[in-house]
Amino acid sequence: MTAPAEGTATAPAELARRYGTPLYVYDLDRVRAARQDLFGWLPAGFEVFYAFKANPHVDLVRALRDGEGPGCKAEISSTGELAAALEAGYPGSDILYTGPGKTYGELREAIACGVRTFSAESLSDLTHIGEVALEHGVVADCLLRINSATASATTSIRMTGTPTQFGIDSETVPEIAERLCSVPGTSVAGLHLFSQSNARDEAALIGELTHTIEVAAQIERDLGVELRLLDIGGGFSVPYAQLGERARYPGLRAALESSLDEHFPRWRTGGVRLAVESGRYLSGDSGTLVAGVTNVKVSRGKKFVIVDAGINTFGGMSGLGRLLPVSVQVEADTETEKASLVGPLCTPGDMLGRGIEVPAGLAPGDVVTIPNTGAYGPTSSLLMFLGRPSPTEAAVSGGELVSLTRIERTRTPVPQERAGE
Ligand SMILES: *Cc1c(COP(=O)(O)O)cnc(C)c1O
């Protein structure tokens, strides 16, 4: 599937001409294609939780749920994401609430809205979930998030095997099993393991996911309860602001089936639900960022193209160290030249690409187009930093504009009797 053709009304450059820059365009047809592909790589019956963190845009998350074929469920981690999920029509029963710092306030809100499935990151987190469930007279189904002591392969982002705020250390499960399984207001429904992100290589992905299934089988024995839902994580990959295509995993289904046959044979008869989770794979290639050139200058022989989209608009998280520094590519159907693509912010960190190929002879008023920017865009950027307006976000489908919105940030008074609640 390709982006809407140049010259059509919903082509990114055309929308940018009409509505200005910086502009994100999300092609919902591509979102649906990614969803169909991901379900296609998995054994029949697998569930997919969409990690709202990647992009909580309501039209995008609605496209992941509605329509033909199996739809996604929601993996959320805040009341903001909860609101987006509910607005997009996800029932509470299709929502998994995760995160290492769940407050009583957000647990109350989630349970009041019908959420019944939580990932518990520690015994104390599990206890908090149970307290709030009891207040509401319900039992919360909890997935114990496991921080596995072992990993099968090296991937770019590691969250397991080391000390971390995420999950229960796998080696401690035998000694705390009884306590984990007897927290009032909770029922240990299953496990949640998430050990990698963005595994381009199919063998690495299969290695990690099948290892996860083995770890889950061991944990089930340690707990001594029959689990009902295994969320084995993800790692499905798509280029990030680079040209290219979503990864393909043609061997994944058979590998998962044989690992499950060995470790959870009851899966064949529906004895345990299975799930993966994914953010970037489902949303990444739907997005195109169009930035306007505001100035071009040369400094000591190097060309700088200054655009109106910086790390306040895209890639702002990379400064935090968990993501690689952003280095975008721009689309070019003409001759190119080397330049640094920088944003408008008053910090040398506002660099989208150092010495990259850009269309030759860019001048103020031109636009550059950055592909594969549907995941980790505005909501993972420094939207507030230096006070520029948020980018405009257009959702398009079938050649039609579905919505045109912008995230507004305003300072509002906090009612003083509620401050600090
Ligand atoms: C961030 C995150 C995801 C999504 O990761 P992607 O690389 O975008 O697929 C899934 N699960 C958990 C627990 C996460 O923290």
Side-chain angles (χ1 to χ4, degrees):
M1 179 150 319
T2 55
E6 190 55 33
T8 62
T10 53
E14 181 55 34
L15 291 172
R17 257 191 294 280
R18 191 167 314 167
Y19 301 114
T21 55
L23 172 75
Y24 278 92
V25 181
Y26 307 121
D27 182 347
L28 304 182
D29 299 331
R30 284 194 182 207
V31 173
R32 292 187 194 95
R35 155 184 162 189
Q36 192 178 348
D37 284 354
L38 182 52
F39 275 104
W41 304 131
L42 297 167
F46 258 68
E47 299 171 24
V48 173
F49 285 94
Y50 173 62
F52 272 47
K53 178 180 68 183
N55 187 339
H57 190 291
V58 168
D59 292 321
L60 190 151
V61 300
R62 195 179 280 123
L64 286 170
R65 189 189 123 72
D66 288 351
E68 273 168 51
C72 295
K73 299 185 171 180
E75 199 243 279
I76 61 163
S77 190
S78 69
T79 50
E81 292 182 346
L82 174 64
L86 296 172
E87 187 183 342
Y90 289 75
S93 55
D94 280 355
I95 297 175
L96 168 64
Y97 205 109
T98 70
K102 302 175 207 75
T103 63
Y104 286 111
E106 67 185 300
L107 289 170
R108 284 191 188 107
E109 193 166 330
I111 287 181
C113 291
V115 178
R116 291 291 177 274
T117 313
F118 294 83
S119 168
E121 307 259 2
S122 59
L123 181 55
S124 42
D125 189 31
L126 186 64
T127 308
H128 298 165
I129 297 166
E131 286 169 38
V132 177
L134 285 179
E135 273 174 23
H136 288 77
V138 300
V139 174
D141 277 331
C142 292
L143 307 185
L144 302 180
R145 183 158 178 189
I146 301 299
N147 171 26
S148 175
T150 55
S152 78
T154 326
T155 48
S156 55
I157 298 179
R158 310 294 312 159
M159 287 172 74
T160 62
T162 47
T164 157
Q165 70 268 49
F166 300 109
I168 299 165
D169 295 339
S170 57
E171 65 278 15
T172 68
V173 171
E175 74 196 65
I176 59 171
E178 244 181 76
R179 282 194 281 161
L180 288 169
C181 294
S182 59
V183 174
T186 70
S187 161
V188 171
L191 303 178
H192 175 205
L193 293 103
F194 181 75
S195 60
Q196 66 184 339
S197 230
N198 216 9
R200 188 102 211 126
D201 176 45
E202 183 179 39
L205 185 92
I206 288 174
E208 193 67 34
L209 292 180
T210 54
H211 177 73
T212 295
I213 291 169
E214 273 173 53
V215 171
Q218 181 59 48
I219 300 286
E220 183 177 63
R221 288 191 291 276
D222 291 343
L223 287 168
V225 296
E226 191 166 287
L227 302 172
R228 290 174 275 136
L229 172 57
L230 296 180
D231 176 348
I232 62 172
F236 307 98
S237 175
V238 65
Y240 185 53
Q242 301 274 309
L243 300 163
E245 310 262 314
R246 268 185 282 115
R248 298 175 51 81
Y249 303 102
L252 178 62
R253 174 200 289 245
L256 288 176
E257 289 179 350
S258 79
S259 174
L260 288 166
D261 284 342
E262 185 183 344
H263 297 287
F264 290 93
R266 67 180 190 275
W267 85 280
R268 289 274 181 192
T269 51
V272 58
R273 287 164 56 198
L274 290 152
V276 296
E277 45 192 34
S278 173
R280 71 185 68 228
Y281 190 85
L282 292 165
S283 54
D285 83 346
S286 73
T288 304
L289 172 57
V290 187
V293 176
T294 55
N295 203 359
V296 177
K297 64 173 278 195
V298 175
S299 167
R300 304 213 163 107
K302 303 272 192 217
K303 190 176 254 196
F304 288 80
V305 173
I306 301 156
V307 295
D308 55 14
I311 57 174
N312 54 333
T313 299
F314 180 78
M317 285 250 302
S318 52
L320 304 179
R322 283 250 316 147
L323 299 173
L324 298 172
V326 148
S327 178
V328 307
Q329 289 181 333
V330 301
E331 292 177 0
D333 45 18
T334 55
E335 222 182 294
T336 62
E337 63 178 340
K338 265 204 176 22
S340 289
L341 194 69
V342 301
L345 306 184
C346 301
T347 162
D350 196 15
M351 170 72 67
L352 295 182
R354 191 183 301 279
I356 61 170
E357 293 296 328
V358 301
L362 283 172
D366 290 341
V367 298
V368 294
T369 301
I370 304 171
N372 292 322
T373 47
Y376 303 107
T379 59
S380 44
S381 297
L382 304 175
L383 282 180
M384 300 295 290
F385 193 35
L386 276 140
R388 286 173 179 271
S390 303
T392 303
E393 296 174 84
V396 303
S397 175
E400 305 275 334
L401 183 62
V402 174
S403 68
L404 190 70
T405 57
R406 179 161 56 215
I407 297 172
E408 281 302 343
R409 316 132 312 156
T410 52
R411 185 181 294 279
T412 51
V414 177
Q416 296 196 10
E417 66 278 13
R418 293 193 51 209
E421 196 178 273

